Amino acid sequence: MENGISGSTHPVIDTHNDDVDTRDALEEIVYALSDFKGLGTQLTFSQGSCLKVLSRPNEHWWWAEREDGCQGYAPVNHLTTLTRNRQYGQDMEYFDSYSHLKIHHEMLDDKARTLAYQTAIRQNAHLLTDKVILDVGCGTGILSMMCARYGRPKQVYAVEASDIAEYTKDVIHSNKMSDTVTVLHSKVEEVQLEESVDVIISEWMGTILLFEMMVESVLLARDRLLKDGGTLWPSTASLFLVPCSAQKQYGSKMEFWKDQYGFDLSDLIEIAKEEFLQKPVHNHILDPADCLSEASRILNIDMRSVRREDLEQIDLDFEFTVQKSGTLHGFCTWFQVDFEGLDQSIHTVYLNTGPEHELTHWKQNLFLLDSPLSVDKDDVITGQFNLHRNPEWRRHLRVLLRFRVMSSSNNLKVPDREKLFYVWR
Ligand SMILES: NC(=[NH2+])NCCC[C@H]1O[C@@H](n2cnc3c(N)ncnc32)[C@H](O)[C@@H]1O
């Protein structure tokens, strides 16, 4: 664990390859997502600066030129082709989706989710006395009100960018908490506080843990507003993966076309794969009996030390030993977040959205293969699950799944398979 993220491999600088593909020579203007201090042939640049990409020697390092003419290697995970106003437009659409009650009703109605936060707050309540708390994305204000009711904080800043914030102000007033809880109708990126905070609490987790990339806003708040040694709740976040069968789901989307009212529509299966299998099933309820092996925690994020740029491209390896013969229809993901106690004596609170735990509104996510395959007990499935943030649609990501199957006697049963999924662009 070097910088708060474990499970990823770090890019190595390739030699600058002069005979790059002419396609690569297409010059492109990109923007720096964050500062980068270059060493040797690497280019130093600051957040927001504009760079011209001259060539792309590999997927992790591009040869670029600063506006002052300096050239050098720039790390791709620090770059975006997105202009500021296009990002603004995407944010407006995103926050508009949270200005309606439906999504807030769903989250409040998710008892496992909301009670995990309540338990963390109540177990640490006595240590919240006189603390300054920041609730990033407070929505209806439920977490802020829990902090104010169970602890005796000096101040809670409830920050909410969507228009629901105007109603949240009324909710705080009606619950007689206005002297402790201050609702700020603003993006947390733009909020100015007269003091730094002791605790940042936020419910930021999306599909596949990271969709919406709201975690980036929490990390920005951490870097800008959290006291040294301050607490982040959740303190860590993990992503789990398991190979699984999914006969019902695969059959309903694919075999469905083989016989409809006595007619063979299987000519449609190819376009059905495009339409139904390019994105994960986001509301799948995984039956533990469909798991073909033990699940693996493929990613662990330490919220105190992870850097935003580490979340641009997360390349994760996995290896599974098949525990029972069956059909491999795909892979399922879920996540867990931990709330570490404010001191050693207080137990960590866990919220796990996996199939062995109470169902949450996140359910599990099913990545279906185009063509299922048979696997046998003791086969070994190895591969990569690579999460790459969409450089244009900043809240979306792509998942590149690669794997192969070896028999227990180490013979190659299924050569490398690769599939790209969109979440959701
Ligand atoms: N767990 C999730 N996937 N979403 C649940 C929390 C999302 C809430 O945070 C708000 N929100 C998201 N990002 C921000 C931000 N940068 N600043 C303020 N509020 C935000 C958003 O408007 C919504 O009310």
Side-chain angles (χ1 to χ4, degrees):
M1 168 113 69
E2 280 166 43
N3 46 35
I5 195 163
S6 57
S8 66
T9 49
H10 292 280
V12 289
I13 298 182
D14 201 344
T15 50
H16 179 47
N17 175 349
D18 289 323
D19 58 342
V20 289
D21 177 332
T22 44
R23 253 180 329 105
D24 284 346
L26 267 185
E27 293 182 1
E28 180 183 31
I29 298 300
V30 292
Y31 301 88
L33 288 164
S34 48
D35 297 348
F36 180 72
K37 188 153 180 39
L39 301 172
T41 56
Q42 298 171 353
L43 191 61
T44 295
F45 51 83
S46 51
Q47 181 179 6
S49 60
C50 171
L51 302 177
K52 188 193 296 181
V53 177
L54 303 176
S55 70
R56 295 169 177 73
N58 68 39
E59 62 181 314
H60 297 294
W61 295 89
W62 289 348
W63 189 256
E65 181 177 271
R66 266 191 335 230
E67 287 172 300
D68 63 1
C70 278
Q71 295 186 2
Y73 284 103
V76 176
N77 65 7
H78 281 58
L79 306 176
T80 175
T81 52
L82 191 63
T83 57
R84 285 265 160 267
N85 55 20
R86 282 181 52 203
Q87 187 153 349
Y88 177 81
Q90 291 175 21
D91 273 352
M92 286 309 102
E93 184 187 336
Y94 173 70
F95 293 125
D96 181 58
S97 71
Y98 280 109
S99 61
H100 309 287
L101 273 183
K102 183 172 179 293
I103 180 75
H104 296 285
H105 181 277
E106 182 183 38
M107 292 189 289
L108 286 169
D109 198 33
D110 182 340
K111 296 287 181 285
R113 161 200 178 267
T114 313
L115 288 174
Y117 279 82
Q118 178 178 276
T119 304
I121 291 165
R122 297 193 73 164
Q123 284 190 176
N124 291 275
H126 58 294
L127 295 172
L128 291 176
T129 305
D130 296 332
K131 289 286 195 301
V132 179
I133 300 170
L134 169 64
D135 180 355
V136 176
C138 71
T140 55
I142 188 72
L143 300 183
S144 293
M145 291 192 287
M146 286 176 175
C147 290
R149 166 168 294 174
Y150 300 117
R152 307 185 66 74
K154 175 185 164 201
Q155 175 66 45
V156 181
Y157 294 107
V159 178
E160 172 55 51
S162 78
D163 292 343
I164 200 84
E166 293 310 314
Y167 296 94
T168 307
K169 290 174 183 174
D170 300 336
V171 167
I172 299 302
H173 178 72
S174 306
N175 283 273
K176 301 182 179 25
M177 292 184 160
S178 304
D179 54 354
T180 304
V181 181
T182 305
V183 178
L184 300 171
H185 184 178
S186 162
K187 283 178 63 175
V188 74
E189 288 85 347
E190 292 157 10
V191 85
Q192 300 301 327
L193 302 182
E194 61 261 21
E195 55 193 331
S196 53
V197 303
D198 301 288
V199 179
I200 291 181
I201 189 168
S202 180
E203 195 282 80
W204 53 263
M205 301 77 74
T207 301
I208 335 284
L209 179 64
L210 296 174
F211 173 64
E212 295 180 48
M213 289 307 288
M214 182 181 163
V215 62
E216 178 174 58
S217 300
V218 177
L219 298 180
L220 276 162
R222 173 199 69 185
D223 297 344
R224 206 161 59 82
L225 303 168
L226 185 65
K227 284 177 187 168
D228 285 349
T231 298
L232 284 142
W233 275 340
S235 25
T236 59
S238 305
L239 187 69
F240 290 81
L241 184 73
V242 74
C244 66
S245 294
Q247 178 50 48
K248 186 165 157 289
Q249 289 70 21
Y250 189 82
S252 70
K253 299 269 191 326
M254 292 296 119
E255 277 133 32
F256 172 89
W257 306 98
K258 289 180 179 169
D259 177 358
Q260 284 300 312
Y261 306 95
F263 299 102
D264 174 3
L265 278 65
S266 48
D267 291 320
L268 303 179
I269 286 180
E270 276 320 299
I271 50 173
K273 284 178 183 175
E274 297 269 315
E275 188 168 331
F276 298 124
L277 305 189
Q278 283 299 312
K279 297 177 180 177
V281 179
H282 74 284
N283 56 356
H284 183 58
I285 298 179
L286 175 62
D287 178 346
D290 280 339
C291 295
L292 295 171
S293 121
E294 281 290 311
S296 167
R297 183 200 300 252
I298 57 171
L299 169 66
N300 189 57
I301 295 175
D302 179 338
M303 291 296 287
R304 272 164 305 217
S305 49
V306 66
R307 299 172 307 172
R308 289 160 45 219
E309 54 267 26
D310 297 323
L311 302 178
E312 285 300 309
Q313 297 189 10
I314 308 174
D315 295 343
L316 304 168
D317 297 325
F318 60 76
E319 176 170 308
F320 297 103
T321 300
V322 175
Q323 288 176 333
K324 62 180 179 183
S325 301
T327 304
L328 175 65
H329 287 98
F331 293 80
C332 263
T333 63
W334 62 87
F335 66 80
Q336 173 178 306
V337 288
D338 301 1
F339 302 81
E340 276 166 19
L342 289 177
D343 79 18
Q344 314 290 1
S345 66
I346 301 168
H347 294 304
T348 300
V349 173
Y350 303 97
L351 168 61
N352 186 302
T353 64
E356 310 279 356
H357 294 78
E358 188 181 345
L359 190 65
T360 70
H361 78 284
W362 286 284
K363 301 188 175 94
Q364 288 87 40
N365 313 122
L366 172 63
F367 293 78
L368 282 167
L369 303 178
D370 289 352
S371 313
L373 51 102
S374 295
V375 290
D376 297 316
K377 185 171 177 349
D378 299 332
D379 282 354
V380 178
I381 307 170
T382 56
Q384 287 81 39
F385 186 90
N386 296 344
L387 290 145
H388 287 189
R389 194 172 176 185
N390 185 317
E392 294 286 334
W393 296 91
R394 303 298 288 148
R395 294 185 183 278
H396 296 253
L397 28 99
R398 283 144 191 202
V399 171
L400 182 64
L401 175 65
R402 279 197 201 108
F403 70 94
R404 61 169 54 175
V405 182
M406 307 294 284
S407 70
S408 51
S409 48
N410 216 19
N411 298 320
L412 182 61
K413 281 182 78 170
V414 176
D416 286 1
R417 288 238 189 143
E418 183 172 291
K419 180 170 179 182
L420 183 66
F421 294 87
Y422 297 88
V423 189
W424 299 104
R425 291 174 185 268

